[in-house]
PDB file of all heavy atoms in Angstrom:
ATOM      1  N   TYR A  53      -5.814   3.633 -18.466  1.00  0.00           N
ATOM      2  CA  TYR A  53      -5.316   3.689 -17.131  1.00  0.00           C
ATOM      3  C   TYR A  53      -5.849   4.804 -16.320  1.00  0.00           C
ATOM      4  O   TYR A  53      -6.188   4.680 -15.147  1.00  0.00           O
ATOM      5  CB  TYR A  53      -3.708   3.903 -17.222  1.00  0.00           C
ATOM      6  CG  TYR A  53      -2.825   2.761 -17.595  1.00  0.00           C
ATOM      7  CD1 TYR A  53      -3.275   1.565 -17.918  1.00  0.00           C
ATOM      8  CD2 TYR A  53      -1.438   3.020 -17.552  1.00  0.00           C
ATOM      9  CE1 TYR A  53      -2.404   0.544 -18.256  1.00  0.00           C
ATOM     10  CE2 TYR A  53      -0.552   2.009 -17.922  1.00  0.00           C
ATOM     11  CZ  TYR A  53      -1.010   0.792 -18.200  1.00  0.00           C
ATOM     12  OH  TYR A  53      -0.127  -0.202 -18.488  1.00  0.00           O
ATOM     13  N   TRP A  54      -5.923   6.038 -16.943  1.00  0.00           N
ATOM     14  CA  TRP A  54      -6.346   7.185 -16.255  1.00  0.00           C
ATOM     15  C   TRP A  54      -7.823   7.008 -15.763  1.00  0.00           C
ATOM     16  O   TRP A  54      -8.136   7.391 -14.682  1.00  0.00           O
ATOM     17  CB  TRP A  54      -6.240   8.398 -17.155  1.00  0.00           C
ATOM     18  CG  TRP A  54      -6.518   9.678 -16.424  1.00  0.00           C
ATOM     19  CD1 TRP A  54      -7.692  10.463 -16.572  1.00  0.00           C
ATOM     20  CD2 TRP A  54      -5.811  10.315 -15.369  1.00  0.00           C
ATOM     21  NE1 TRP A  54      -7.611  11.489 -15.743  1.00  0.00           N
ATOM     22  CE2 TRP A  54      -6.506  11.417 -15.004  1.00  0.00           C
ATOM     23  CE3 TRP A  54      -4.578   9.983 -14.826  1.00  0.00           C
ATOM     24  CZ2 TRP A  54      -6.039  12.226 -14.054  1.00  0.00           C
ATOM     25  CZ3 TRP A  54      -4.171  10.815 -13.754  1.00  0.00           C
ATOM     26  CH2 TRP A  54      -4.847  11.912 -13.341  1.00  0.00           C
ATOM     27  N   THR A  55      -8.686   6.422 -16.572  1.00  0.00           N
ATOM     28  CA  THR A  55     -10.048   6.138 -16.255  1.00  0.00           C
ATOM     29  C   THR A  55     -10.160   5.198 -15.025  1.00  0.00           C
ATOM     30  O   THR A  55     -10.825   5.451 -14.029  1.00  0.00           O
ATOM     31  CB  THR A  55     -10.798   5.493 -17.422  1.00  0.00           C
ATOM     32  OG1 THR A  55     -10.798   6.441 -18.511  1.00  0.00           O
ATOM     33  CG2 THR A  55     -12.259   5.173 -17.053  1.00  0.00           C
ATOM     34  N   HIS A  56      -9.278   4.101 -15.054  1.00  0.00           N
ATOM     35  CA  HIS A  56      -9.257   3.166 -13.953  1.00  0.00           C
ATOM     36  C   HIS A  56      -8.716   3.817 -12.693  1.00  0.00           C
ATOM     37  O   HIS A  56      -9.255   3.636 -11.621  1.00  0.00           O
ATOM     38  CB  HIS A  56      -8.473   1.952 -14.293  1.00  0.00           C
ATOM     39  CG  HIS A  56      -9.177   0.944 -15.141  1.00  0.00           C
ATOM     40  ND1 HIS A  56     -10.262   0.263 -14.732  1.00  0.00           N
ATOM     41  CD2 HIS A  56      -8.941   0.572 -16.490  1.00  0.00           C
ATOM     42  CE1 HIS A  56     -10.726  -0.512 -15.644  1.00  0.00           C
ATOM     43  NE2 HIS A  56      -9.929  -0.317 -16.707  1.00  0.00           N
ATOM     44  N   LEU A  57      -7.614   4.578 -12.777  1.00  0.00           N
ATOM     45  CA  LEU A  57      -7.003   5.177 -11.572  1.00  0.00           C
ATOM     46  C   LEU A  57      -8.022   6.250 -11.026  1.00  0.00           C
ATOM     47  O   LEU A  57      -8.039   6.410  -9.757  1.00  0.00           O
ATOM     48  CB  LEU A  57      -5.771   5.878 -12.048  1.00  0.00           C
ATOM     49  CG  LEU A  57      -4.640   4.889 -12.361  1.00  0.00           C
ATOM     50  CD1 LEU A  57      -3.433   5.619 -13.003  1.00  0.00           C
ATOM     51  CD2 LEU A  57      -4.210   4.125 -11.144  1.00  0.00           C
ATOM     52  N   GLN A  58      -8.728   6.894 -11.798  1.00  0.00           N
ATOM     53  CA  GLN A  58      -9.745   7.957 -11.245  1.00  0.00           C
ATOM     54  C   GLN A  58     -10.740   7.320 -10.440  1.00  0.00           C
ATOM     55  O   GLN A  58     -11.161   7.670  -9.392  1.00  0.00           O
ATOM     56  CB  GLN A  58     -10.322   8.764 -12.459  1.00  0.00           C
ATOM     57  CG  GLN A  58      -9.354   9.684 -13.085  1.00  0.00           C
ATOM     58  CD  GLN A  58      -8.928  10.842 -12.201  1.00  0.00           C
ATOM     59  OE1 GLN A  58      -9.570  11.211 -11.264  1.00  0.00           O
ATOM     60  NE2 GLN A  58      -7.656  11.219 -12.460  1.00  0.00           N
ATOM     61  N   LEU A  59     -11.270   6.098 -10.996  1.00  0.00           N
ATOM     62  CA  LEU A  59     -12.297   5.373 -10.174  1.00  0.00           C
ATOM     63  C   LEU A  59     -11.725   4.749  -8.974  1.00  0.00           C
ATOM     64  O   LEU A  59     -12.393   4.750  -7.966  1.00  0.00           O
ATOM     65  CB  LEU A  59     -12.812   4.220 -11.081  1.00  0.00           C
ATOM     66  CG  LEU A  59     -13.636   4.689 -12.329  1.00  0.00           C
ATOM     67  CD1 LEU A  59     -13.988   3.460 -13.276  1.00  0.00           C
ATOM     68  CD2 LEU A  59     -14.942   5.370 -11.901  1.00  0.00           C
ATOM     69  N   LEU A  60     -10.507   4.312  -9.061  1.00  0.00           N
ATOM     70  CA  LEU A  60      -9.893   3.637  -7.932  1.00  0.00           C
ATOM     71  C   LEU A  60      -9.471   4.675  -6.809  1.00  0.00           C
ATOM     72  O   LEU A  60      -9.524   4.354  -5.638  1.00  0.00           O
ATOM     73  CB  LEU A  60      -8.694   2.841  -8.279  1.00  0.00           C
ATOM     74  CG  LEU A  60      -8.931   1.572  -9.058  1.00  0.00           C
ATOM     75  CD1 LEU A  60      -7.684   1.069  -9.732  1.00  0.00           C
ATOM     76  CD2 LEU A  60      -9.708   0.538  -8.161  1.00  0.00           C
ATOM     77  N   GLN A  61      -9.214   5.904  -7.269  1.00  0.00           N
ATOM     78  CA  GLN A  61      -8.899   6.986  -6.325  1.00  0.00           C
ATOM     79  C   GLN A  61      -9.995   7.334  -5.393  1.00  0.00           C
ATOM     80  O   GLN A  61      -9.896   7.798  -4.295  1.00  0.00           O
ATOM     81  CB  GLN A  61      -8.416   8.076  -7.094  1.00  0.00           C
ATOM     82  CG  GLN A  61      -7.628   9.122  -6.196  1.00  0.00           C
ATOM     83  CD  GLN A  61      -6.429   9.730  -7.018  1.00  0.00           C
ATOM     84  OE1 GLN A  61      -5.948   9.202  -7.946  1.00  0.00           O
ATOM     85  NE2 GLN A  61      -5.874  10.816  -6.488  1.00  0.00           N
ATOM     86  N   ARG A  62     -11.250   6.999  -5.782  1.00  0.00           N
ATOM     87  CA  ARG A  62     -12.449   7.304  -5.029  1.00  0.00           C
ATOM     88  C   ARG A  62     -12.594   6.319  -3.845  1.00  0.00           C
ATOM     89  O   ARG A  62     -13.342   6.583  -2.919  1.00  0.00           O
ATOM     90  CB  ARG A  62     -13.622   7.422  -5.919  1.00  0.00           C
ATOM     91  CG  ARG A  62     -13.694   8.495  -6.854  1.00  0.00           C
ATOM     92  CD  ARG A  62     -14.926   8.505  -7.689  1.00  0.00           C
ATOM     93  NE  ARG A  62     -14.768   9.482  -8.701  1.00  0.00           N
ATOM     94  CZ  ARG A  62     -15.145   9.298  -9.996  1.00  0.00           C
ATOM     95  NH1 ARG A  62     -15.745   8.194 -10.312  1.00  0.00           N
ATOM     96  NH2 ARG A  62     -14.958  10.263 -10.857  1.00  0.00           N
ATOM     97  N   GLU A  63     -11.990   5.178  -3.976  1.00  0.00           N
ATOM     98  CA  GLU A  63     -12.045   4.175  -2.961  1.00  0.00           C
ATOM     99  C   GLU A  63     -10.857   4.142  -2.230  1.00  0.00           C
ATOM    100  O   GLU A  63      -9.778   4.621  -2.630  1.00  0.00           O
ATOM    101  CB  GLU A  63     -12.251   2.802  -3.707  1.00  0.00           C
ATOM    102  CG  GLU A  63     -13.368   2.612  -4.564  1.00  0.00           C
ATOM    103  CD  GLU A  63     -13.431   1.342  -5.301  1.00  0.00           C
ATOM    104  OE1 GLU A  63     -12.889   0.298  -4.621  1.00  0.00           O
ATOM    105  OE2 GLU A  63     -13.875   1.223  -6.410  1.00  0.00           O
ATOM    106  N   ARG A  64     -10.959   3.606  -0.988  1.00  0.00           N
ATOM    107  CA  ARG A  64      -9.757   3.496  -0.193  1.00  0.00           C
ATOM    108  C   ARG A  64      -8.952   2.287  -0.559  1.00  0.00           C
ATOM    109  O   ARG A  64      -9.460   1.106  -0.590  1.00  0.00           O
ATOM    110  CB  ARG A  64     -10.212   3.255   1.302  1.00  0.00           C
ATOM    111  CG  ARG A  64      -9.035   3.125   2.221  1.00  0.00           C
ATOM    112  CD  ARG A  64      -9.453   3.082   3.709  1.00  0.00           C
ATOM    113  NE  ARG A  64      -8.416   2.726   4.525  1.00  0.00           N
ATOM    114  CZ  ARG A  64      -7.610   3.662   5.133  1.00  0.00           C
ATOM    115  NH1 ARG A  64      -7.867   5.041   4.865  1.00  0.00           N
ATOM    116  NH2 ARG A  64      -6.616   3.344   5.922  1.00  0.00           N
ATOM    117  N   PRO A  65      -7.771   2.512  -1.146  1.00  0.00           N
ATOM    118  CA  PRO A  65      -6.985   1.424  -1.599  1.00  0.00           C
ATOM    119  C   PRO A  65      -6.505   0.476  -0.561  1.00  0.00           C
ATOM    120  O   PRO A  65      -6.255   0.941   0.565  1.00  0.00           O
ATOM    121  CB  PRO A  65      -5.829   2.113  -2.327  1.00  0.00           C
ATOM    122  CG  PRO A  65      -5.671   3.400  -1.707  1.00  0.00           C
ATOM    123  CD  PRO A  65      -7.101   3.772  -1.170  1.00  0.00           C
ATOM    124  N   LYS A  66      -6.363  -0.777  -0.871  1.00  0.00           N
ATOM    125  CA  LYS A  66      -5.931  -1.757   0.049  1.00  0.00           C
ATOM    126  C   LYS A  66      -4.464  -1.904   0.049  1.00  0.00           C
ATOM    127  O   LYS A  66      -3.766  -2.296   1.003  1.00  0.00           O
ATOM    128  CB  LYS A  66      -6.561  -3.202  -0.189  1.00  0.00           C
ATOM    129  CG  LYS A  66      -8.008  -3.187   0.004  1.00  0.00           C
ATOM    130  CD  LYS A  66      -8.633  -4.519  -0.319  1.00  0.00           C
ATOM    131  CE  LYS A  66     -10.108  -4.411  -0.081  1.00  0.00           C
ATOM    132  NZ  LYS A  66     -10.876  -5.622  -0.636  1.00  0.00           N
ATOM    133  N   ALA A  67      -3.859  -1.469  -1.097  1.00  0.00           N
ATOM    134  CA  ALA A  67      -2.385  -1.592  -1.252  1.00  0.00           C
ATOM    135  C   ALA A  67      -1.818  -0.245  -1.343  1.00  0.00           C
ATOM    136  O   ALA A  67      -1.617   0.469  -0.291  1.00  0.00           O
ATOM    137  CB  ALA A  67      -2.095  -2.472  -2.483  1.00  0.00           C
ATOM    138  N   LEU A  68      -1.535   0.207  -2.521  1.00  0.00           N
ATOM    139  CA  LEU A  68      -0.975   1.523  -2.677  1.00  0.00           C
ATOM    140  C   LEU A  68      -1.840   2.593  -3.324  1.00  0.00           C
ATOM    141  O   LEU A  68      -2.755   2.186  -4.208  1.00  0.00           O
ATOM    142  CB  LEU A  68       0.349   1.480  -3.525  1.00  0.00           C
ATOM    143  CG  LEU A  68       1.441   0.610  -2.852  1.00  0.00           C
ATOM    144  CD1 LEU A  68       2.625   0.428  -3.906  1.00  0.00           C
ATOM    145  CD2 LEU A  68       1.963   1.345  -1.683  1.00  0.00           C
ATOM    146  N   GLU A  69      -1.640   3.880  -3.086  1.00  0.00           N
ATOM    147  CA  GLU A  69      -2.451   4.887  -3.644  1.00  0.00           C
ATOM    148  C   GLU A  69      -2.237   4.894  -5.122  1.00  0.00           C
ATOM    149  O   GLU A  69      -1.096   4.767  -5.674  1.00  0.00           O
ATOM    150  CB  GLU A  69      -2.046   6.276  -3.069  1.00  0.00           C
ATOM    151  CG  GLU A  69      -2.368   6.515  -1.641  1.00  0.00           C
ATOM    152  CD  GLU A  69      -3.802   6.609  -1.354  1.00  0.00           C
ATOM    153  OE1 GLU A  69      -4.548   6.999  -2.297  1.00  0.00           O
ATOM    154  OE2 GLU A  69      -4.296   6.275  -0.209  1.00  0.00           O
ATOM    155  N   PRO A  70      -3.302   5.073  -5.952  1.00  0.00           N
ATOM    156  CA  PRO A  70      -3.088   5.226  -7.402  1.00  0.00           C
ATOM    157  C   PRO A  70      -2.137   6.356  -7.713  1.00  0.00           C
ATOM    158  O   PRO A  70      -1.375   6.285  -8.743  1.00  0.00           O
ATOM    159  CB  PRO A  70      -4.539   5.566  -7.871  1.00  0.00           C
ATOM    160  CG  PRO A  70      -5.431   5.070  -6.859  1.00  0.00           C
ATOM    161  CD  PRO A  70      -4.652   5.184  -5.582  1.00  0.00           C
ATOM    162  N   LEU A  71      -2.131   7.410  -6.966  1.00  0.00           N
ATOM    163  CA  LEU A  71      -1.226   8.509  -7.214  1.00  0.00           C
ATOM    164  C   LEU A  71       0.244   8.109  -7.155  1.00  0.00           C
ATOM    165  O   LEU A  71       1.086   8.625  -7.863  1.00  0.00           O
ATOM    166  CB  LEU A  71      -1.484   9.551  -6.159  1.00  0.00           C
ATOM    167  CG  LEU A  71      -0.877  11.031  -6.446  1.00  0.00           C
ATOM    168  CD1 LEU A  71      -1.296  11.503  -7.798  1.00  0.00           C
ATOM    169  CD2 LEU A  71      -1.243  11.898  -5.296  1.00  0.00           C
ATOM    170  N   PHE A  72       0.569   7.097  -6.382  1.00  0.00           N
ATOM    171  CA  PHE A  72       1.957   6.605  -6.315  1.00  0.00           C
ATOM    172  C   PHE A  72       2.376   6.087  -7.679  1.00  0.00           C
ATOM    173  O   PHE A  72       3.466   6.386  -8.167  1.00  0.00           O
ATOM    174  CB  PHE A  72       2.089   5.493  -5.282  1.00  0.00           C
ATOM    175  CG  PHE A  72       3.449   4.807  -5.212  1.00  0.00           C
ATOM    176  CD1 PHE A  72       4.455   5.439  -4.401  1.00  0.00           C
ATOM    177  CD2 PHE A  72       3.736   3.770  -5.960  1.00  0.00           C
ATOM    178  CE1 PHE A  72       5.756   4.911  -4.325  1.00  0.00           C
ATOM    179  CE2 PHE A  72       5.054   3.208  -5.924  1.00  0.00           C
ATOM    180  CZ  PHE A  72       5.990   3.751  -5.160  1.00  0.00           C
ATOM    181  N   PHE A  73       1.505   5.378  -8.352  1.00  0.00           N
ATOM    182  CA  PHE A  73       1.764   4.822  -9.637  1.00  0.00           C
ATOM    183  C   PHE A  73       2.077   6.024 -10.618  1.00  0.00           C
ATOM    184  O   PHE A  73       3.096   5.929 -11.337  1.00  0.00           O
ATOM    185  CB  PHE A  73       0.577   3.986 -10.158  1.00  0.00           C
ATOM    186  CG  PHE A  73       0.804   3.422 -11.515  1.00  0.00           C
ATOM    187  CD1 PHE A  73       1.601   2.316 -11.827  1.00  0.00           C
ATOM    188  CD2 PHE A  73       0.147   4.101 -12.653  1.00  0.00           C
ATOM    189  CE1 PHE A  73       1.749   1.857 -13.113  1.00  0.00           C
ATOM    190  CE2 PHE A  73       0.363   3.591 -13.888  1.00  0.00           C
ATOM    191  CZ  PHE A  73       1.113   2.515 -14.134  1.00  0.00           C
ATOM    192  N   ILE A  74       1.230   7.002 -10.629  1.00  0.00           N
ATOM    193  CA  ILE A  74       1.404   8.086 -11.538  1.00  0.00           C
ATOM    194  C   ILE A  74       2.734   8.884 -11.295  1.00  0.00           C
ATOM    195  O   ILE A  74       3.554   9.114 -12.068  1.00  0.00           O
ATOM    196  CB  ILE A  74       0.251   8.963 -11.490  1.00  0.00           C
ATOM    197  CG1 ILE A  74      -1.020   8.380 -11.943  1.00  0.00           C
ATOM    198  CG2 ILE A  74       0.518  10.277 -12.287  1.00  0.00           C
ATOM    199  CD1 ILE A  74      -2.338   9.089 -11.712  1.00  0.00           C
TER     200      ILE A  74
END
Side-chain angles (χ1 to χ4, degrees):
Y53 281 4
W54 187 250
T55 299
H56 282 293
L57 290 169
Q58 291 297 331
L59 292 172
L60 290 169
Q61 198 141 342
R62 294 183 187 136
E63 301 177 30
R64 182 174 172 90
K66 293 179 183 169
L68 293 173
E69 294 286 338
L71 193 56
F72 178 85
F73 177 78
I74 295 169

